[in-house]
Amino acid sequence: MKDYAADKLRNVALISHGGAGKTSLTEALLYTSGGTDRLGKVDEGNTVSDYDPDEIKRKITINASVLPCEWSDSKINLLDTPGYPDFIGEVLGALSVADAALVVVCAVSGVEVNTGRMWTLAERRGLPRLLFINKLDRENAHFDRVLEQIQSELSPHAVAMQVPIGSEADFKGIIDLITMKAVFFENGGVKEGSIPEELQELAETYHEKMVEAAAETDDDLTMKYLEGEELTQDEIIQGLRHGTLSGKVFPVLCGSAYLNKGAGLLMDAMIHYLPSPQDRPA
């Protein structure tokens, strides 16, 4: 692995309630970035981060692990942490060295008790946060319901940047609300296409809310928005990044870690919106 300038680094702690899929997500990120040549599974005991015999036996994370991956000329240091309160010390250790947090929420269970606790710990440290609604391929998965839970129980400033195409067994793609394009998952790869007609109105509604959140982070963008001018993609990204770094916006993404759907888009978001060490106080 080559040397990286400080502005090309992202130190991100993955936090959640136990069972939300953090370890599976780190596997998907490592595999997608080329850090591994196979997608490890928790149930099979062959993930990179859960290497301890007790972790393999119990199929839970006990120790915090650091997993580096390279993406878009940057290096992302992922800190996979336990989700069970018995091992909260490992979470505190990871948050003390991280520059940001990725909060993983199950699309079936939604916001659970320890999700709120982890959120509070990250908030106390003033860490910028992304959220990832995971397990959209599971039975009873519901993106809209979980997003509403996040906004009511964690922060009203959580803003969807993506909308899933289909759910449960029919989960087949993601709408990128920045580009207003659809990304379909096909044969282990991704293919860009048009937004399905039946989701066009929903996507436009979410897009407008996202643009409004981006505009509110900057006076110039606010004036442009209020005057009825359209914000460019670069301006939306700029506004969302500023809002994320200042704790005024918490972008929400989605996918399925187990099926490795959405990992590449998530890494793009980490690089665009999360801080490098240079963006954080000493």
Side-chain angles (χ1 to χ4, degrees):
M1 190 172 285
K2 64 182 182 181
D3 292 332
Y4 287 91
D7 64 335
K8 295 294 185 180
L9 296 175
R10 301 291 185 273
N11 300 311
V12 186
L14 278 71
I15 57 176
S16 79
H17 188 90
K22 296 183 302 301
T23 299
S24 295
L25 184 56
T26 59
E27 284 295 316
L29 296 171
L30 284 171
Y31 179 75
T32 301
S33 65
T36 58
D37 57 6
R38 55 126 177 94
L39 193 61
K41 305 292 185 185
V42 173
D43 289 341
E44 297 173 10
N46 59 2
T47 63
V48 176
S49 59
D50 285 354
Y51 55 85
D52 186 279
D54 281 334
E55 293 177 313
I56 295 171
K57 177 183 177 181
R58 300 173 188 278
K59 299 178 182 178
I60 63 170
T61 300
I62 296 174
N63 309 293
S65 302
V66 182
L67 302 104
C69 57
E70 297 175 297
W71 189 255
S72 297
D73 296 323
S74 296
K75 179 184 176 186
I76 304 173
N77 292 311
L78 304 168
L79 290 89
D80 184 24
T81 69
Y84 293 92
D86 312 60
F87 313 112
I88 193 71
E90 295 290 311
V91 179
L92 293 171
L95 291 177
S96 71
V97 296
D99 296 313
L102 172 60
V103 184
V104 184
V105 183
C106 175
V108 180
S109 306
V111 176
E112 299 179 85
V113 174
N114 220 34
T115 316
R117 188 179 187 189
M118 297 293 184
W119 182 270
T120 300
L121 291 175
E123 195 164 61
R124 286 175 181 169
R125 296 199 65 84
L127 294 179
R129 276 146 280 166
L130 293 182
L131 296 104
F132 184 78
I133 298 179
N134 191 25
K135 301 187 179 183
L136 282 169
D137 59 304
R138 300 293 180 89
E139 189 175 348
N140 297 320
H142 202 297
F143 175 82
D144 292 332
R145 183 192 67 219
V146 174
L147 178 61
E148 289 175 3
Q149 276 190 328
I150 289 170
Q151 292 170 334
S152 63
E153 298 182 32
L154 298 181
S155 173
H157 302 296
V159 178
M161 291 181 55
Q162 298 174 346
V163 176
I165 301 172
S167 64
E168 302 182 357
D170 294 326
F171 175 53
K172 59 185 178 182
I174 288 172
I175 297 172
D176 184 335
L177 298 174
I178 298 280
T179 63
M180 289 300 282
K181 295 286 186 181
V183 176
F184 296 96
F185 306 113
E186 296 180 0
N187 303 318
V190 295
K191 180 181 178 182
E192 191 174 281
S194 301
I195 298 173
E197 187 176 342
E198 68 273 14
L199 293 176
Q200 186 69 43
E201 185 177 347
L202 178 68
E204 289 174 358
T205 299
Y206 275 120
H207 174 77
E208 185 60 30
K209 291 178 181 178
M210 182 194 65
V211 172
E212 183 177 350
E216 289 176 350
T217 66
D218 181 273
D219 289 342
D220 291 337
L221 295 181
T222 300
M223 289 300 299
K224 184 174 181 179
Y225 177 78
L226 292 176
E227 289 170 0
E229 295 185 55
E230 283 193 20
L231 270 60
T232 65
Q233 286 186 23
D234 286 343
E235 287 173 332
I236 294 171
I237 292 172
Q238 171 195 331
L240 290 173
R241 175 174 171 78
H242 180 74
T244 304
L245 297 186
S246 62
K248 296 177 181 178
V249 174
F250 302 105
V252 181
L253 297 94
C254 62
S256 168
Y258 188 80
L259 297 180
N260 191 20
K261 293 182 176 180
L265 296 172
L266 177 57
M267 284 189 283
D268 287 339
M270 287 185 193
I271 290 169
H272 283 141
Y273 306 113
L274 293 184
S276 73
Q278 287 185 338
D279 299 314
R280 297 285 296 159

